[in-house]
Amino acid sequence: MSPPARKPRHVAIIMDGNGRWAERRHRPRSLGHRAGARAVRVCLEFCLAEGTESLTLFAFSSENWNRPAEEVGALMKLFLRLLDHEVDELDRRKVRIRFIGERSGFPADIQGKMARAEAQTANNRAITLNIAASYGGRWDIVRAARALAEDVAAGRIAPTQIDEALFGQSLSLAGQAEPDLFIRTGGDTRISNFLLWQLAYTELWFTETLWPDLDDATLRQAFDDFAARERRFGLTSAQVATEAE
Ligand code: FPP
């Protein structure tokens, strides 16, 4: 009997290529983002069918605020529309929605709808969908460091208690499995200030496919490549083989 296929428990994705997808069609970049939202559904359905526990999507980086005002405005409109029209369906599918990032930068109506979406879906267990919005990996680490520094200053913990485990508990995504598989579409091979701490042992997978063109075949290839990789976490191959017995 062949061993069960190794599946990623947590998949983290940089959804890149929306702008180029639209530009190749001589259409505004905002159309690429709308097409990108359709690809999110494809990806979510695939992960639900695979039994993935967590899916983390980089929807808007800390740096994306510096894009032309027109594009930022179109993205805000899209986020608002998705929050208005998609949350009930996600809730019905038992998707738990979480937002990670500095949400104070968003307009008040978006912040309110983010909080409502989280509350409405808090008890769902089919999959956790983490949406990184106004997120940066460095922001996440600095925020955790500041929280721990405040705990030390207030006498709640001693500096010697700060270790990797406690630090990890202060970061976004605390309590979820660490990402097993990182996917970036759009051809660039960078992490771009995504989950800097959390990706320490994650398998990285890159594709030229532009995000709006994402399909099941591309995701299948990523999952199959992941299943074929040997994850050593700093050990030797022999040690990994012994541990698996
Ligand atoms: C990167 O492509 C994509 C974004 C900055 C926005 C991502 C947003 C969505 C896919 C829609 C909504 C999704 C959720 C989960 C709410 P790019 O514009 O940098 O593409 P380019 O590199 O071709 O210019």
Side-chain angles (χ1 to χ4, degrees):
M1 208 171 72
S2 56
R6 286 193 307 154
K7 293 184 178 195
R9 291 171 65 193
H10 186 163
V11 180
I13 304 184
I14 294 186
M15 311 179 287
D16 201 10
N18 293 351
R20 278 166 286 163
W21 185 92
E23 281 159 12
R24 282 178 197 174
R25 287 162 176 76
H26 307 289
R27 303 298 303 275
R29 293 174 59 84
S30 56
L31 187 86
H33 296 313
R34 292 215 302 273
R38 283 199 297 277
V40 169
R41 286 183 205 108
V42 169
C43 182
L44 182 64
E45 287 303 325
F46 185 92
C47 289
L48 276 165
E50 287 291 316
T52 309
E53 285 172 28
S54 297
L55 172 63
T56 302
L57 300 176
F58 207 0
F60 195 78
S61 74
S62 315
E63 293 75 27
N64 285 156
W65 291 112
N66 300 320
R67 288 195 174 193
E70 189 190 337
E71 184 170 347
V72 173
L75 274 166
M76 292 305 131
K77 246 171 83 180
L78 177 61
F79 293 154
L80 207 50
R81 224 186 45 225
L82 294 172
L83 284 162
D84 280 337
H85 296 294
E86 303 288 338
V87 173
D88 285 345
E89 173 61 11
L90 293 173
D91 189 22
R92 203 181 59 73
R93 304 293 308 276
K94 297 288 169 233
V95 175
R96 178 169 74 138
I97 303 171
R98 304 285 302 272
F99 292 92
I100 60 170
E102 178 56 73
R103 59 178 90 179
S104 65
F106 285 102
D109 52 349
I110 293 192
Q111 287 185 50
K113 286 169 201 263
M114 284 175 167
R116 271 201 291 285
E118 287 183 329
Q120 182 180 337
T121 63
N123 296 320
N124 292 343
R125 286 295 173 266
I127 192 170
T128 298
L129 174 63
N130 302 297
I131 299 175
S134 192
Y135 177 85
R138 289 180 175 175
W139 165 85
D140 204 355
I141 291 169
V142 166
R143 192 185 60 117
R146 192 180 300 143
L148 289 169
E150 283 167 2
D151 283 345
V152 170
R156 288 188 287 269
I157 59 168
T160 48
Q161 282 175 270
I162 299 176
D163 57 10
E164 291 186 14
L166 187 62
F167 202 91
Q169 283 164 30
S170 308
L171 290 163
S172 303
L173 304 183
Q176 299 182 46
E178 292 201 340
D180 300 297
L181 173 62
F182 163 94
I183 297 173
R184 181 176 185 144
T185 60
D188 284 329
T189 48
R190 290 189 283 271
I191 290 178
S192 298
N193 197 21
F194 196 22
L195 305 159
L196 298 180
W197 173 284
Q198 297 89 337
L199 292 176
Y201 287 105
T202 305
E203 296 295 327
L204 309 181
W205 195 85
F206 300 93
T207 176
E208 294 289 329
T209 302
L210 301 177
W211 178 255
D213 290 327
L214 185 87
D215 58 9
D216 282 1
T218 308
L219 288 165
R220 170 57 51 215
Q221 202 187 337
F223 274 54
D224 285 352
D225 283 0
F226 172 82
R229 291 195 193 174
E230 181 192 56
R231 304 185 75 196
R232 291 199 294 277
F233 299 98
L235 303 178
T236 66
S237 285
Q239 283 175 304
V240 173
T242 312
E243 283 202 347
E245 280 167 8

